[in-house]
Amino acid sequence: MKTIRKIEATLPILPKRKKVAAYARVSEEKGRTFHSMSAQISHYSSYIQKNKEWIYAGVYADEGISGTTDNRAEFQRMIEDCEKGKIDIILTKSISRFARNTIDLLETVRYLKDLGIEVRFESENISSLSDDGELMLTLLASFAQEESRSISENVKWGIRKGFQKGIVNSFCIYGYRWDGEKFNIVPEEAEVIRLIYDNFLKGYSAEHTEKQLKETGIKSYTGGDFSNTSIRAILKQEKYTGNSLLQKTYIESHITQKTKLNRGELPMYYAENTHPVIIEKEIFDKVQAEIARRRELGVFANKAIKTNYFTSKIKCANCGKSYRRSGRRQRKNSDERYYIWTCRTKSEKGISHCHSKDVPEKMLKKYIARALDLDEFDEDIFLEEIEKIVVKGQDELIFHFYDGQIVHQKWESTARTDAWTEERREAWAEYQKGNKHAVGHKGRWLKDDKNK
């Protein structure tokens, strides 16, 4: 008997198309950033979409920043998309474009390898999934990192040699523009600079000038409103005198590219007459002297801030912050107010951040008079004799005198008993007569006045 077997038609199995993305990065250099970035994005977009075995997954591009991965937004977004399964292969021009730090590079490549994602480096012709891929990456990344360091050191050397000769490196600053050869004054911006200096010498605060500039619609270098912080920076900027203090900052590392203030780690150079003058040196020096004077006065220098003879004098032993004054109304007589001093940290962030003791103003005056051996508090003597008062624990005041003497005093608030006046006693008696449930209410009444 014949055996007949039906052979079913089979469809060809098409290979699974890979989701391919590219990563590009350019450094900020001589205005070529935009052109270079556009060229790379165009190249990769076209290259990926021409391959019928690939699915275009996009181009991720960072510009004008270093090769460290922690500060590249697009790079981080690409890694997140890899974790979501949106990418199978990443194309990049070279190892130095992907990362300049060998350790950083290997950690990233290994992480992507664990996810099953391949990274292809075009210039070096290396695939991260090949057998010798990691070895080659280690060697070549080390060379790239050293090359980056060498270039960075050469650039720094050139700049510092220029500093020694008084050659100013280009800078962007409100009031000036660089024309390719020299710095030129921008007249309307120079007038704003002079206004800021003039206001300060007239006694106005940076906050006052900030408000004035905002009301008149004057914008900063970036096009936004002037902040009091930027105004204070302008008041300290020696370049407005036509002179330059060079190497005030420096780059900590060619990898992190973080700028640090030069606090003596490197020499600084003062070059005179490097560009046109906006503020005369004499006026600039007067402003610096006034800044120092106001710093010594603290909050008393700002007329806009309401001050008291205790302002900035009362300190917290827990966090070191100054105490601030607050007024409260009596619960039983809203026309009467009493004042207490509270640690700023506790006032702003709550008792969980600082559990310091509040001090009634009456108590401060009482114990200050005792520390000064006076019959009653005297504001002038207090300001002349006592530098600060430190509030420690729940019952200690530490008085620091200007002559170096330190006095410790235990204190106890009597606000609760002081509030129990003859008038309050009479009111309490009347309340008891008409309330058969008055037992225990005295404690509540007293509790109402606990902090008075």
Side-chain angles (χ1 to χ4, degrees), residues 353-417:
H353 289 81
C354 185
H355 55 276
S356 55
K357 179 78 171 179
D358 295 346
V359 185
E361 190 169 286
K362 283 186 178 181
M363 292 302 99
L364 277 174
K365 292 181 178 180
K366 175 182 176 179
Y367 284 93
I368 289 170
R370 183 177 297 178
L372 293 170
D373 197 21
L374 301 172
D375 292 332
E376 59 183 20
F377 174 77
D378 187 292
E379 176 184 340
D380 294 331
I381 297 177
F382 164 71
L383 293 173
E384 183 179 346
E385 297 287 337
I386 296 179
E387 180 182 2
K388 65 180 179 181
I389 302 171
V390 178
V391 181
K392 183 178 180 181
Q394 299 296 304
D395 63 350
E396 186 175 8
L397 298 175
I398 305 173
F399 296 85
H400 292 254
F401 288 74
Y402 282 111
D403 62 6
Q405 180 186 7
I406 298 177
V407 175
H408 296 255
Q409 281 196 8
K410 296 291 185 180
W411 72 283
E412 181 182 1
S413 176
T414 59
R416 184 172 177 179
T417 54

Side-chain angles (χ1 to χ4, degrees), residues 21-246:
Y23 177 73
R25 181 181 64 80
V26 295
S27 299
E28 194 170 8
E29 180 184 0
K30 298 181 181 178
R32 299 176 57 192
T33 300
F34 180 76
H35 173 74
S36 178
M37 178 66 72
S38 299
Q40 288 190 54
I41 293 174
S42 177
H43 162 72
Y44 281 119
S45 297
S46 175
Y47 179 67
I48 295 171
Q49 293 179 68
K50 283 180 181 179
N51 193 321
K52 296 179 180 179
E53 296 179 359
W54 290 350
I55 298 173
Y56 179 68
V59 177
Y60 302 80
D62 287 304
E63 61 178 297
I65 51 180
S66 71
T68 54
T69 59
D70 58 349
N71 63 348
R72 292 186 281 170
E74 282 292 280
F75 188 92
Q76 295 297 339
R77 188 171 72 87
M78 180 182 69
I79 298 298
E80 290 173 3
D81 285 347
C82 287
E83 294 169 342
K84 295 174 182 177
K86 295 181 178 181
I87 300 171
D88 296 315
I89 300 174
I90 297 173
L91 307 179
T92 188
K93 183 178 180 181
S94 66
I95 289 172
S96 62
R97 287 287 175 245
F98 204 70
R100 292 180 182 175
N101 183 327
T102 305
I103 296 175
D104 194 25
L105 170 71
L106 293 176
E107 286 181 349
T108 304
V109 169
R110 286 170 183 166
Y111 178 67
L112 293 174
K113 187 176 182 180
D114 290 339
L115 296 175
I117 298 168
E118 177 186 5
V119 183
R120 296 183 184 178
F121 301 90
E122 290 185 303
S123 298
E124 295 84 4
N125 193 26
I126 295 175
S127 167
S128 62
L129 296 185
S130 65
D131 293 336
D132 59 351
E134 183 164 324
L135 174 60
M136 295 301 296
L137 281 174
T138 303
L139 293 173
L140 294 175
S142 298
F143 286 128
Q145 182 176 331
E146 179 58 26
E147 182 184 15
S148 174
R149 186 200 64 79
S150 178
I151 292 172
S152 176
E153 291 301 318
N154 289 338
V155 171
K156 288 178 184 176
W157 182 86
I159 292 174
R160 287 168 185 169
K161 282 295 180 183
F163 285 165
Q164 292 175 19
K165 297 176 182 178
I167 299 174
V168 179
N169 197 22
S170 62
F171 57 82
C172 296
I173 185 174
Y174 188 81
Y176 294 102
R177 291 296 184 277
W178 175 254
D179 64 6
E181 296 181 358
K182 64 182 184 301
F183 292 101
N184 299 297
I185 293 177
V186 181
E188 59 272 19
E189 293 183 3
E191 287 303 311
V192 176
I193 300 297
R194 296 186 186 104
L195 170 68
I196 290 172
Y197 274 75
D198 187 49
N199 273 1
F200 189 78
L201 289 178
K202 286 179 179 178
Y204 295 121
S205 66
E207 288 76 13
H208 172 91
T209 303
E210 174 188 15
K211 184 178 179 181
Q212 181 181 355
L213 295 177
K214 187 173 183 179
E215 289 175 348
T216 53
I218 295 174
K219 301 298 182 181
S220 68
Y221 184 87
T222 59
D225 292 327
F226 278 91
S227 67
N228 57 74
T229 302
S230 63
I231 290 170
R232 290 188 176 92
I234 286 172
L235 291 169
K236 295 178 182 178
Q237 179 55 263
E238 85 291 336
K239 285 186 173 64
Y240 292 122
T241 65
N243 307 312
S244 298
L245 182 60
L246 307 176

